[in-house]
Amino acid sequence: MSRHPAVKWAQRSDKVFITIELPDAKDVKLKLEPEGKFIFSATKDGIPYEVDFELFDKIDVEESKHNIGLRSIVYAIKKAEKKWWSRLLKQEGKAPAFVKVDWDKWVDEDEEMEKRFTDLDDMDFSKLDMGGDDDDFDMDESKDEEATEDEEVGKEANMASTSNEAKAKEEPLQSVAEKAKD
């Protein structure tokens, strides 16, 4: 008789993550069917392990991926339809005791929507048409003008400070000279 490995799951609107925690698994086999059938089998220390699920909805077998690691096997299963599932399994009621939520990968529906609007790292700004002609504003020309203006302001400030320093040097000399006269 087969045992059940610990299974953790999480989802996004477009995929389901299933992690099977079975360190040093051998002879790992997976069968996915478009209707949502998920069949996993492997052995560890000569003991067979098996998982046979009927997933909540249909999946895209061709776009689904897996990674067999030393400690676990992770499946990224593409949903056939982009929507949130109310549970992992088609059968209603409580999930089997060996199935748990993977809180490390879990993202709520609200959080996923927020991320779409606030995460600009993936955004390609070159495709945004901001209007205006390219001839209206030349970045290189603008930088040159700014540099020239900055240089002029710097020169004026330098001249003023040099003038102030000279005056400061003259004043103590005059006062020392005046004191000598006295």
Short mmCIF file of all heavy atoms in Angstrom, two decimals, residues 141-164:
data_model
loop_
_atom_site.label_atom_id
_atom_site.label_comp_id
_atom_site.label_asym_id
_atom_site.label_seq_id
_atom_site.Cartn_x
_atom_site.Cartn_y
_atom_site.Cartn_z
N GLU A 141 20.90 68.31 -25.50
CA GLU A 141 20.98 69.76 -25.59
C GLU A 141 20.62 70.40 -24.26
O GLU A 141 21.26 71.32 -23.80
CB GLU A 141 19.99 70.23 -26.68
CG GLU A 141 20.32 71.57 -27.27
CD GLU A 141 19.39 71.84 -28.43
OE1 GLU A 141 19.60 71.25 -29.51
OE2 GLU A 141 18.46 72.64 -28.23
N SER A 142 19.59 69.87 -23.61
CA SER A 142 19.14 70.39 -22.33
C SER A 142 20.23 70.23 -21.28
O SER A 142 20.46 71.13 -20.48
CB SER A 142 17.88 69.65 -21.90
OG SER A 142 17.53 70.03 -20.60
N LYS A 143 20.91 69.10 -21.25
CA LYS A 143 21.98 68.87 -20.28
C LYS A 143 23.13 69.83 -20.50
O LYS A 143 23.72 70.33 -19.55
CB LYS A 143 22.48 67.42 -20.37
CG LYS A 143 21.51 66.41 -19.81
CD LYS A 143 22.05 65.01 -19.94
CE LYS A 143 21.02 64.00 -19.47
NZ LYS A 143 21.44 62.64 -19.71
N ASP A 144 23.46 70.11 -21.79
CA ASP A 144 24.53 71.04 -22.10
C ASP A 144 24.20 72.43 -21.59
O ASP A 144 25.04 73.12 -21.02
CB ASP A 144 24.79 71.10 -23.61
CG ASP A 144 25.41 69.80 -24.13
OD1 ASP A 144 25.94 69.03 -23.29
OD2 ASP A 144 25.37 69.58 -25.35
N GLU A 145 22.94 72.87 -21.80
CA GLU A 145 22.52 74.19 -21.34
C GLU A 145 22.59 74.28 -19.83
O GLU A 145 23.05 75.27 -19.27
CB GLU A 145 21.09 74.49 -21.82
CG GLU A 145 21.01 74.75 -23.32
CD GLU A 145 19.57 74.88 -23.79
OE1 GLU A 145 18.66 74.98 -22.95
OE2 GLU A 145 19.36 74.89 -25.01
N GLU A 146 22.15 73.22 -19.14
CA GLU A 146 22.18 73.20 -17.68
C GLU A 146 23.62 73.27 -17.19
O GLU A 146 23.92 73.98 -16.23
CB GLU A 146 21.51 71.93 -17.14
CG GLU A 146 20.00 71.95 -17.21
CD GLU A 146 19.40 70.65 -16.70
OE1 GLU A 146 20.07 69.93 -15.93
OE2 GLU A 146 18.25 70.37 -17.05
N ALA A 147 24.51 72.55 -17.83
CA ALA A 147 25.92 72.53 -17.42
C ALA A 147 26.52 73.92 -17.57
O ALA A 147 27.25 74.39 -16.69
CB ALA A 147 26.69 71.51 -18.24
N THR A 148 26.22 74.61 -18.69
CA THR A 148 26.75 75.95 -18.92
C THR A 148 26.24 76.91 -17.85
O THR A 148 26.99 77.70 -17.30
CB THR A 148 26.35 76.45 -20.33
OG1 THR A 148 26.81 75.49 -21.29
CG2 THR A 148 26.97 77.80 -20.64
N GLU A 149 24.93 76.83 -17.55
CA GLU A 149 24.35 77.70 -16.53
C GLU A 149 24.99 77.42 -15.17
O GLU A 149 25.32 78.34 -14.43
CB GLU A 149 22.84 77.47 -16.43
CG GLU A 149 22.06 78.05 -17.60
CD GLU A 149 20.58 77.71 -17.52
OE1 GLU A 149 20.09 77.36 -16.43
OE2 GLU A 149 19.91 77.81 -18.55
N ASP A 150 25.20 76.15 -14.85
CA ASP A 150 25.81 75.78 -13.57
C ASP A 150 27.24 76.31 -13.48
O ASP A 150 27.67 76.78 -12.43
CB ASP A 150 25.82 74.25 -13.38
CG ASP A 150 24.42 73.70 -13.11
OD1 ASP A 150 23.52 74.50 -12.79
OD2 ASP A 150 24.26 72.47 -13.22
N GLU A 151 27.97 76.26 -14.59
CA GLU A 151 29.35 76.75 -14.60
C GLU A 151 29.38 78.25 -14.35
O GLU A 151 30.20 78.76 -13.59
CB GLU A 151 30.02 76.43 -15.94
CG GLU A 151 30.38 74.97 -16.10
CD GLU A 151 30.89 74.64 -17.50
OE1 GLU A 151 31.13 75.58 -18.30
OE2 GLU A 151 31.03 73.45 -17.80
N GLU A 152 28.44 78.99 -15.00
CA GLU A 152 28.40 80.44 -14.82
C GLU A 152 28.07 80.80 -13.39
O GLU A 152 28.69 81.68 -12.79
CB GLU A 152 27.37 81.06 -15.78
CG GLU A 152 27.83 81.05 -17.22
CD GLU A 152 26.76 81.59 -18.17
OE1 GLU A 152 25.81 82.25 -17.70
OE2 GLU A 152 26.86 81.32 -19.38
N VAL A 153 27.10 80.13 -12.80
CA VAL A 153 26.72 80.39 -11.41
C VAL A 153 27.91 80.08 -10.50
O VAL A 153 28.21 80.81 -9.56
CB VAL A 153 25.48 79.56 -11.02
CG1 VAL A 153 25.23 79.60 -9.52
CG2 VAL A 153 24.26 80.04 -11.77
N GLY A 154 28.60 78.99 -10.80
CA GLY A 154 29.77 78.60 -10.01
C GLY A 154 30.87 79.64 -10.08
O GLY A 154 31.50 79.98 -9.08
N LYS A 155 31.11 80.19 -11.27
CA LYS A 155 32.14 81.22 -11.44
C LYS A 155 31.80 82.47 -10.65
O LYS A 155 32.63 83.06 -9.97
CB LYS A 155 32.31 81.58 -12.92
CG LYS A 155 33.06 80.54 -13.72
CD LYS A 155 33.15 80.95 -15.17
CE LYS A 155 33.80 79.87 -16.02
NZ LYS A 155 33.78 80.20 -17.44
N GLU A 156 30.50 82.89 -10.74
CA GLU A 156 30.08 84.08 -10.01
C GLU A 156 30.25 83.88 -8.51
O GLU A 156 30.73 84.76 -7.80
CB GLU A 156 28.61 84.41 -10.33
CG GLU A 156 28.42 84.93 -11.74
CD GLU A 156 26.94 85.08 -12.10
OE1 GLU A 156 26.08 85.00 -11.20
OE2 GLU A 156 26.66 85.26 -13.29
N ALA A 157 29.88 82.73 -8.02
CA ALA A 157 30.00 82.43 -6.59
C ALA A 157 31.46 82.42 -6.19
O ALA A 157 31.84 82.92 -5.12
CB ALA A 157 29.34 81.09 -6.27
N ASN A 158 32.30 81.86 -7.03
CA ASN A 158 33.73 81.78 -6.75
C ASN A 158 34.34 83.19 -6.69
O ASN A 158 35.14 83.50 -5.81
CB ASN A 158 34.43 80.92 -7.80
CG ASN A 158 35.85 80.59 -7.42
OD1 ASN A 158 36.22 80.66 -6.25
ND2 ASN A 158 36.66 80.24 -8.41
N MET A 159 33.93 84.05 -7.65
CA MET A 159 34.45 85.41 -7.69
C MET A 159 34.03 86.18 -6.44
O MET A 159 34.81 86.90 -5.84
CB MET A 159 33.98 86.15 -8.95
CG MET A 159 34.68 85.64 -10.21
SD MET A 159 33.98 86.28 -11.73
CE MET A 159 34.09 88.03 -11.51
N ALA A 160 32.78 85.98 -6.03
CA ALA A 160 32.27 86.68 -4.85
C ALA A 160 33.01 86.22 -3.61
O ALA A 160 33.38 87.03 -2.76
CB ALA A 160 30.77 86.43 -4.70
N SER A 161 33.25 84.92 -3.49
CA SER A 161 33.95 84.43 -2.29
C SER A 161 35.40 84.90 -2.30
O SER A 161 35.96 85.22 -1.25
CB SER A 161 33.85 82.91 -2.19
OG SER A 161 34.63 82.31 -3.21
N THR A 162 36.05 84.97 -3.47
CA THR A 162 37.43 85.46 -3.56
C THR A 162 37.48 86.91 -3.15
O THR A 162 38.37 87.34 -2.42
CB THR A 162 37.96 85.29 -5.00
OG1 THR A 162 37.82 83.93 -5.39
CG2 THR A 162 39.42 85.70 -5.10
N SER A 163 36.51 87.70 -3.59
CA SER A 163 36.45 89.12 -3.25
C SER A 163 36.26 89.30 -1.75
O SER A 163 36.90 90.12 -1.12
CB SER A 163 35.30 89.76 -4.03
OG SER A 163 34.97 91.00 -3.49
N ASN A 164 35.37 88.48 -1.16
CA ASN A 164 35.12 88.55 0.28
C ASN A 164 36.37 88.16 1.08
O ASN A 164 36.66 88.72 2.12
CB ASN A 164 33.95 87.66 0.69
CG ASN A 164 32.62 88.22 0.19
OD1 ASN A 164 32.53 89.42 -0.07
ND2 ASN A 164 31.62 87.36 0.08
#
